[in-house]
Amino acid sequence: MSLRIVVTVKYVPDATGDRHFADDLTVDRDDVDGLLSELDEYAVEQALQISENSDDDVEITVLTVGPEDAKDALRKALSMGADKAIHVEDDDIHGTDAIGTSLILAKAIEKAGYDLVVSGMASTDGTMGVVPALLAERLGVPQVTLLSEVSVEDGTVKGRRDGDAASENLEASLPAVVSVTDQSGEARYPSFKGIMAAKKKPVQSWDLSDLDIEAEEVGLEGSYTTVENAAERPARTAGTIVKDEGEGGKQLAEFLAGQKFI
Amino acid sequence: MAEVLVYVDHVDGAVRKPTLELLTLARRIGEPVAVALGNGAGDTAAALAEHGAVKVLTHEASEYADYLVVPKVDALQAAVEAVSPAAVLVPSSAEGKEIAARLALRLGSGIITDAVDLEAGDEGPVATQSVFAASFTTKSRISKGTPVITVKPNSAAVEAAPAAGAVEALSVSFSAQATGTKVTGRTPRESTGRPELTEAAIVVSGGRGVNGAENFGLIEALADSLGAAVGASRAAVDAGWYPHTNQVGQTGKSVSPQLYIASGISGAIQHRAGMQTSKTIVAINKDAEAPIFDLVDYGVVGDLFDVVPALTEEIKTRKG
Ligand SMILES: Cc1cc2nc3c(=O)[nH]c(=O)nc-3n(C[C@H](O)[C@H](O)[C@H](O)COP(=O)(O)OP(=O)(O)OC[C@H]3O[C@@H](n4cnc5c(N)ncnc54)[C@H](O)[C@@H]3O)c2cc1C
Ligand SMILES: Cc1cc2nc3c(=O)[nH]c(=O)nc-3n(C[C@H](O)[C@H](O)[C@H](O)COP(=O)(O)OP(=O)(O)OC[C@H]3O[C@@H](n4cnc5c(N)ncnc54)[C@H](O)[C@@H]3O)c2cc1C
């Protein structure tokens, strides 16, 4: 038996950098370093663990939709241990929204062939947390999402979803789309050997025509949403800061009373 | 006037506060029609009517509890077909966002998630989002199809606005996908008796500086003196001092209370992402250089083991 896993990984601007918008109100990617979305490292990790715990022949493909530099995200995932990579890159993709992104990813996943898709819980830039559900809808397969624990055995994926009201145990037959949270287990660091090996692993590049997608279906033009305005949040006015010399608790209570919280 | 569908988040008929907020926002763009699903759906009608629902569409079936997400999408889709609404509003929980996304795709519509405000616009509702760890505010709208928008808790004040709230049974036929993901077990979360983190007016949080599960009692005592919810940083959660359900931040809950009190929390960008939109921010930290102080309305540089108990005492005294 063999198991084909596709892990979706996003290349995002570094959250600790000075993120802002370009003139067309898309994310400015030129001024901020990009990296593999940290939450997708957990997806790569769980794919590797599924592979390590499996008797089957497992092949892990990492997939990204993004600009030229997004190859860095693929390299990182390959150096963690994924087998091969697919980069969907096309000038017409610039500015694609979640609905469009899910179209491109779904077509690429179908073309690559898959038994299991593993995604992160959310990107660290758009942070919508919707792409895995959209992929399941498009692919017509079960969604087993937001898992803090996941396992695959005999064509069945099982996992635990820790929600607000309850913890749920979930189960679905493959093929399926899974997403994992940052509670699923620390992601490994690439080893030196892994980094060297990654350089030799295949990275395929596909554009929209390889996926039979028309330019008008995606990008800013094809978008289902329009950003009308983006404004930097005004800096908070400097607050009062006191040093505790025995009275700090009382002074704070006084402030809270003044604000009618007590 | 155009109808606006509001997805009802309820527990066995008890409507959660974010849904009441949605009804308030829905009235800005049309007449709210609520959709309540699952066990106790019919019991939601009185609360929904009191807050402006002209109609309440209900459907009870075991599928909503036994399978993940898709049965609810099927039902909302049936409601959209029955009503032809001007927009669909869903509370921004993890599940709410997934339901909304799949619905939008089926309707050939766009989706906006995590709106913090909503206004009527010439070309449809305009949503305000707070992005990049709340460092930018954007205004967006959906340019194709029926707008599907998820709204964060605490985005509007709940207003009573009595309406008919006529209950109608919704007719739903489940899709082939509905039973794809089985819920084989469910452990309900035990109630602490404290307010829900995302709904609370006051949140008191502790971080690595709290230095141990046993010390979280200090944070809880302060929270209880204020009737507040308890939050925690990821460092405190990862150390096993407090449950993950209480984590505030990018991969935890995003909160927007009237008052946020952070103790022993440095204010990393991922933590700020979850609390920066709080109205009033207070921090207690022994490091005067901690980045959290850039955000505060009031900060105390000091040892939380001194300041927090003193504060709790003083609050208790003042409250008598
Ligand atoms: C600040 C901001 C706000 C936005 N708001 C909206 C909005 O309201 N509506 C809207 O339609 N679009 C919005 N977008 C655009 C949207 O972020 C992108 O289209 C995006 O790729 C999908 O959403 P996400 O990044 O939030 O991903 P999420 O749904 O949070 O991502 C979940 C998982 O999906 C996978 N994934 C997501 N994108 C990719 C990719 N490009 N390549 C590979 N895997 C991927 C990853 O595994 C990821 O962990 C916004 C973008 C930004 C930067
Ligand atoms: C992808 C990703 C997602 C993340 N998501 C989240 C998230 O959702 N939520 C989150 O919180 N973090 C998140 N993080 C982690 C985040 O980057 C920080 O590591 C974390 O917020 C630090 O927690 P802290 O402030 O409690 O600890 P620290 O940064 O270690 O700060 C502890 C603070 O306590 C102070 N202190 C110590 N002792 C005392 C004392 N006795 N009295 C007073 N003050 C004292 C110190 O001066 C210090 O400022 C995420 C990180 C990543 C990479």
Side-chain angles (χ1 to χ4, degrees):
Chain A
M1 284 274 290
S2 77
L3 181 71
R4 296 161 302 167
I5 305 180
V6 177
V7 186
T8 57
V9 297
K10 190 175 180 187
Y11 179 72
V12 297
D14 186 349
T16 59
D18 179 19
R19 294 181 294 180
H20 54 268
F21 289 88
D23 291 341
D24 65 354
L25 298 180
T26 62
V27 178
D28 188 330
R29 289 173 177 271
D30 295 335
D31 290 353
V32 190
D33 289 340
L35 45 78
L36 167 61
S37 177
E38 282 152 310
L39 296 171
D40 291 342
E41 291 181 15
Y42 294 88
V44 176
E45 177 63 36
Q46 288 309 311
L48 293 168
Q49 289 197 18
I50 288 168
S51 167
E52 286 157 8
N53 294 331
S54 175
D55 301 328
D56 295 342
D57 201 5
V58 180
E59 183 186 57
I60 301 174
T61 304
V62 287
L63 164 66
T64 197
V65 173
E68 167 73 30
D69 300 346
K71 281 201 174 59
D72 292 354
L74 295 174
R75 283 286 167 219
K76 170 99 188 252
L78 289 172
S79 62
M80 287 173 72
D83 300 304
K84 61 193 185 80
I86 298 169
H87 183 191
V88 183
E89 185 192 0
D90 197 310
D91 288 346
D92 291 323
I93 290 174
H94 174 78
T96 304
D97 64 3
I99 299 282
T101 300
S102 70
L103 172 70
I104 303 168
L105 285 170
K107 292 262 192 175
I109 290 164
E110 275 171 336
K111 185 174 162 94
Y114 73 102
D115 301 297
L116 182 67
V117 177
V118 184
S119 299
M121 62 185 285
S123 74
T124 58
D125 60 345
T127 65
M128 295 179 71
V130 299
V131 167
L134 288 170
L135 290 177
E137 180 73 31
R138 288 199 183 268
L139 296 168
V141 303
Q143 73 166 80
V144 197
T145 46
L146 298 171
L147 303 180
S148 43
E149 229 174 73
V150 60
S151 65
V152 175
E153 216 174 316
D154 300 329
T156 301
V157 50
K158 292 186 185 174
R160 197 182 78 238
R161 172 167 163 127
D162 293 322
D164 280 353
S167 254
E168 293 167 326
N169 295 320
L170 304 177
E171 196 177 305
S173 310
L174 299 184
V177 175
V178 156
S179 75
V180 300
T181 73
D182 61 337
Q183 298 292 301
S184 60
E186 251 341 276
R188 69 194 65 189
Y189 287 105
S191 62
F192 179 70
K193 211 171 124 216
I195 294 167
M196 295 316 286
K199 298 194 174 161
K200 299 199 194 84
K201 290 178 179 172
V203 179
Q204 277 186 55
S205 278
W206 291 344
D207 62 15
L208 288 175
S209 66
D210 291 317
L211 300 174
D212 292 321
I213 298 173
E214 302 293 330
E216 308 81 71
E217 292 179 74
V218 296
L220 263 186
E221 209 177 311
S223 183
Y224 290 75
T225 50
T226 306
V227 181
E228 294 190 329
N229 179 301
E232 193 155 6
R233 194 182 169 83
R236 293 185 82 105
T237 42
T240 310
I241 298 194
V242 300
K243 196 167 169 350
D244 177 40
E245 275 154 355
E247 295 294 305
K250 273 208 169 121
Q251 287 167 293
L252 180 47
E254 186 62 39
F255 168 79
L256 294 179
Q259 303 284 315
K260 306 262 185 296
F261 289 117
I262 308 177
Chain B
M1 199 161 153
E3 293 173 305
V4 176
L5 278 191
V6 171
Y7 177 80
V8 177
D9 185 5
H10 70 99
V11 183
D12 297 330
V15 179
R16 295 182 56 182
K17 187 165 151 255
T19 301
L20 304 179
E21 296 170 13
L22 283 198
L23 290 171
T24 302
L25 291 174
R27 290 204 305 278
R28 296 186 189 164
I29 50 181
E31 285 194 321
V33 173
V35 183
L37 305 172
N39 187 34
D43 301 338
T44 61
L48 299 170
E50 194 187 322
H51 293 90
V54 296
K55 228 189 291 180
V56 181
L57 306 177
T58 63
H59 189 246
E60 294 201 24
S62 58
E63 277 84 352
Y64 298 117
D66 295 346
Y67 301 94
L68 195 71
V69 173
V70 188
K72 294 168 181 165
V73 182
D74 290 342
L76 259 191
Q77 186 180 13
V80 169
E81 281 158 14
V83 170
S84 304
V88 182
L89 306 183
V90 181
S92 257
S93 61
E95 185 190 46
K97 292 201 275 189
E98 293 186 331
I99 295 171
R102 296 185 73 137
L103 177 73
L105 185 56
R106 287 187 189 182
L107 300 177
S109 302
I111 175 167
I112 290 175
T113 54
D114 295 322
V116 295
D117 201 4
L118 205 59
E119 294 296 335
D122 294 341
E123 295 167 279
V126 177
T128 305
Q129 285 168 296
S130 182
V131 306
F132 291 157
S135 59
F136 276 81
T137 303
T138 59
K139 288 195 187 290
S140 311
R141 65 186 168 78
I142 286 163
S143 36
K144 288 187 202 167
T146 307
V148 179
I149 301 173
T150 79
V151 181
K152 277 196 184 183
N154 274 334
S155 295
V158 173
E159 289 165 15
V167 178
E168 272 178 35
L170 179 68
S171 138
V172 181
S173 50
F174 292 117
S175 63
Q177 270 78 45
T179 54
T181 309
K182 221 175 148 97
V183 179
T184 55
R186 176 176 285 118
T187 318
R189 205 159 296 294
E190 265 176 54
S191 167
T192 58
R194 296 194 177 89
E196 271 302 310
L197 187 54
T198 52
E199 299 170 16
I202 304 181
V203 174
V204 174
S205 287
R208 201 193 305 270
V210 174
N211 200 24
E214 63 286 2
N215 301 332
F216 255 85
L218 285 182
I219 302 296
E220 292 182 330
L222 173 57
D224 292 342
S225 75
L226 290 163
V230 177
S233 73
R234 175 157 147 184
V237 168
D238 283 355
W241 303 339
Y242 224 66
H244 179 250
T245 36
N246 296 71
Q247 182 176 314
V248 171
Q250 187 186 27
T251 55
K253 301 274 161 55
S254 130
V255 300
S256 202
Q258 295 300 318
L259 171 64
Y260 188 83
I261 305 182
S263 299
I265 293 178
S266 61
I269 184 82
Q270 297 89 354
H271 187 78
R272 279 157 51 178
M275 48 66 74
Q276 193 149 313
T277 55
S278 305
K279 308 296 174 296
T280 299
I281 298 175
V282 167
I284 301 157
N285 195 306
K286 65 180 184 189
D287 176 9
E289 304 296 318
I292 190 92
F293 285 125
D294 296 342
L295 301 179
V296 298
D297 296 284
Y298 200 92
V300 180
V301 179
D303 191 325
L304 72 91
F305 292 98
D306 298 328
V307 179
V308 171
L311 172 61
T312 309
E313 260 328 291
E314 184 66 21
I315 292 169
K316 283 192 190 151
T317 313
R318 282 171 186 254
K319 283 194 165 173

